[in-house]
Amino acid sequence: MLTDLKEKNYLIVGGGSGIGFSLAEKLQKSGANVFVINRQSMGPEGTTTFHADILEDSDVYGQLPDVIDGLAYCPGSINLKPINRITQEDLISDFRINAVGAILATQGVLRKLKKAESASIVFFSTVAVATGMGFHSSIAAAKGAVEGITRSLSAELANNGIRVNAIAPSLTDTPLAANLLSSEDKQLAAGKRHPLNRVGTPSDMSDAAYFLLSPNSSWITGQVIGIDGGLSVIR
């Protein structure tokens, strides 16, 4: 059930597709004012989209309302290579997209979050941080940093009434994972690796993010929550 979020302002970075788009859609349907920052694609109908790359453009935050009730940083990367083929450029790119971007987005709206009655930040990690997976060294390192940022910021911002949590998905059927799920056989094989016998959907992840952004999770902070079909804990 959606919560009444009228008069609330939410910023979704990376809300033009996949999980971010689904989350922006749910927030908008709840009556919230939703602002999307995306490099190319538009957010859902009824949201306000700013086309910008936050790794390069910090001016965009000045166009947002004075009060922001929640931030979700959704951009990610899937760069799977054996260790001998990972380059410095791969490592730097994954770290910038996932960890540096999360910090820059937080810095961009921090004053606006502090003005909210009870604000919330949601980041995205990956099941590969807590569960050893071959060929995931670069992305696991970058998302591991996101988990560290989550816990550190939750401590730093608690006195400001700002909650900080992260979601750690397993493989999710989004445009980012299109190459990994490009055929029915690949989809079936990927699903069988999960105890619940399917891959995730954008809605699975956005439901969790919606909850963490809403007042319904007002006593949850500093958590990394696995939304992974049981992959990280069930054998």
Side-chain angles (χ1 to χ4, degrees):
M1 180 180 295
L2 298 179
T3 303
D4 184 356
L5 299 177
K6 290 180 181 177
E7 309 304 324
K8 301 286 188 180
N9 298 321
Y10 291 93
L11 172 62
I12 313 299
V13 180
S17 65
I19 297 168
F21 188 95
S22 178
L23 175 58
E25 196 171 44
K26 288 173 182 175
L27 291 168
Q28 192 274 330
K29 288 180 178 178
S30 298
N33 303 311
V34 182
F35 302 87
V36 171
I37 297 178
N38 208 64
R39 287 184 297 182
Q40 295 179 333
S41 304
M42 299 292 291
E45 184 177 354
T47 64
T48 301
T49 299
F50 300 99
H51 289 124
D53 182 345
I54 67 157
L55 293 172
E56 308 293 342
D57 181 10
S58 61
D59 293 339
V60 66
Y61 301 111
Q63 303 176 64
L64 298 171
D66 287 339
V67 177
I68 295 293
D69 296 280
L71 162 68
Y73 183 79
C74 304
S77 55
I78 299 180
N79 185 18
L80 308 184
K81 292 183 179 180
I83 190 65
N84 61 307
R85 288 181 50 205
I86 295 175
T87 65
Q88 288 190 44
E89 289 74 18
D90 291 328
L91 293 166
I92 291 169
S93 176
D94 281 340
F95 194 83
R96 289 189 79 233
I97 292 168
N98 294 282
V100 175
I103 289 177
L104 291 178
T106 302
Q107 290 175 333
V109 294
L110 185 56
R111 287 190 300 105
K112 299 173 185 291
L113 290 166
K114 287 181 177 180
K115 291 180 180 179
E117 183 176 335
S118 177
S120 175
I121 299 172
V122 175
F123 298 132
F124 285 84
S125 180
T126 171
V127 66
V129 173
T131 304
M133 294 182 175
F135 311 113
H136 283 68
S137 296
S138 182
I139 186 58
K143 290 297 194 182
V146 171
E147 295 194 7
I149 292 165
T150 299
R151 296 186 178 100
S152 180
L153 284 182
S154 68
E156 181 177 340
L157 301 178
N159 285 340
N160 298 109
I162 300 173
R163 299 178 293 107
V164 187
N165 295 285
I167 290 167
S170 186
L171 184 60
T172 304
D173 191 2
T174 67
L176 189 64
N179 289 339
L180 301 176
L181 300 170
S182 58
S183 69
E184 186 175 350
D185 287 344
K186 286 184 177 182
Q187 292 176 15
L188 289 173
K192 288 179 180 178
R193 290 196 292 271
H194 295 78
L196 290 181
N197 206 37
R198 67 172 177 86
V199 299
T201 67
S203 188
D204 291 326
M205 307 309 156
S206 64
D207 278 345
Y210 178 95
F211 170 70
L212 291 172
L213 288 174
S214 79
N216 293 337
S217 59
S218 62
W219 214 45
I220 300 175
T221 194
Q223 303 301 308
V224 178
I225 301 174
I227 310 296
D228 57 18
L231 184 64
S232 62
V233 294
I234 297 176
R235 296 290 181 268

